[in-house]
Amino acid sequence: MIVTLTPNPSVDRTIAFDRIRRGAVQRATSSRIDPGGKGINVSRALQANRTPTLAVLPAGGPEGHLLTELLESAHVPYRAVEIAGAARMNIAAVEPDGTTTKLNEPGPQMSAAEVSALFDAAITAADGADWLVACGSLPPGVPESFYAELVLRCAAADLKVAIDTSGSPFPLAAVAHPQLIKPNHEELAELVGRPLPRIGDVVDAARGLVADSIETVVVSLGADGALGVDASGLVWAGATVDDPLSTVGAGDCLLAGFLHARVLGGDLEAAVREGVRWGAAAVRLPGSQVPAPADIAAVEVTSTNSPELDRVIS
């Protein structure tokens, strides 16, 4: 069982346009609505591929009601903590080449009591689980130390934690030593405090974090694939996507695929390859739609333990 925690979930509306022209009337070619937030996307991808999961989230207001309805429609098991504020609504504008412009609301103000209830719900739900995956931004009212405190609490309870976030909560969580972190290229550079223009720079940064007691670092690099680093070594994997539709949620699907493989006993290389396969399959789908087994099976992945360290990341 993989439990996900999404402190700042959303209702995601993805609208497709032939072209985005700033300041002009935009006429959409299509639109779709999905339950959103990084942890929820992880649970949706896992559920679509028959990996047991449970999504923990706060939900309030009419948007929160719609969010839980969308989860039920997607057959995603969830545990919602009721809050007074309304869940946020996010918009992604997608162009034909896959270019995505995202407009994200900040999320509802949460009280100290609501934050405590969400924290306790996640810990309780994760009892006996293979992983607790805590993802995404923190809404107003949630302290920046939330993820760090979660990691420490889980360590005391012998629970494995994966963290996928950004901004100021990320370094605080990393210092608490979760078993897994999954930054993208920009987030890793921000975490280590220096530019990482080449593959070799990313490898060095990830190895430094592993040496500092984070068991596994998985870095999503967009069109340049993904890197996984742990004490056993490193793996790069990539896939060519000639027909991208949307990058929304692709990194979340990569994390879902990685953990899916890990739960089944896969080693680092098998897990990175599976993660890239899931992420690439997601890019071929509209909006934040998650890939099914047939979508994933259609993706060809290459991998190596000796990537081109001098390769510049696009």
Side-chain angles (χ1 to χ4, degrees), residues 71-286:
L71 287 170
E72 289 168 4
S73 296
H75 307 292
V76 176
Y78 68 89
R79 186 171 300 175
V81 174
E82 185 174 352
I83 62 172
R88 60 183 179 153
M89 298 278 289
N90 290 342
I91 296 174
V94 180
E95 297 177 73
D97 65 353
T99 299
T100 302
T101 302
K102 297 187 71 175
L103 306 172
N104 290 352
E105 293 185 344
Q109 178 77 34
M110 290 180 62
S111 69
E114 291 169 341
V115 174
S116 179
L118 181 65
F119 190 98
D120 291 343
I123 295 294
T124 300
D127 184 26
D130 295 288
W131 286 90
L132 172 60
V133 186
C135 298
S137 63
L138 300 176
V142 178
E144 293 180 350
S145 61
F146 181 85
Y147 285 138
E149 293 170 5
L150 187 75
V151 173
L152 294 173
R153 175 78 174 271
C154 288
D158 199 27
L159 296 173
K160 290 182 179 180
V161 184
I163 299 291
D164 184 2
T165 188
S166 59
S168 52
F170 197 15
L172 296 176
V175 168
H177 306 310
Q179 281 72 31
L180 169 66
I181 60 172
K182 198 231 50 87
N184 63 26
H185 181 214
E186 293 78 12
E187 291 161 351
L188 181 63
E190 183 179 358
L191 180 62
V192 300
R194 63 181 186 271
L196 305 172
R198 303 175 305 121
I199 292 290
D201 298 317
V202 174
V203 170
D204 290 343
R207 281 175 168 164
L209 292 167
V210 170
D212 195 31
S213 300
I214 296 176
E215 289 182 8
T216 306
V217 178
V218 179
V219 188
S220 54
L221 300 172
D224 293 298
L227 276 167
V229 177
D230 65 12
S232 70
L234 72 95
V235 176
W236 174 88
T240 300
V241 179
D242 295 322
D243 50 351
L245 290 179
S246 173
T247 59
V248 178
D252 308 326
C253 291
L254 187 155
L255 178 56
F258 183 91
L259 292 173
H260 166 87
R262 277 301 214 198
V263 168
L264 293 178
D267 61 10
L268 180 67
E269 182 167 11
V272 173
R273 286 178 60 88
E274 192 70 1
V276 167
R277 187 174 284 112
W278 288 38
V283 172
R284 292 176 166 176
L285 298 172

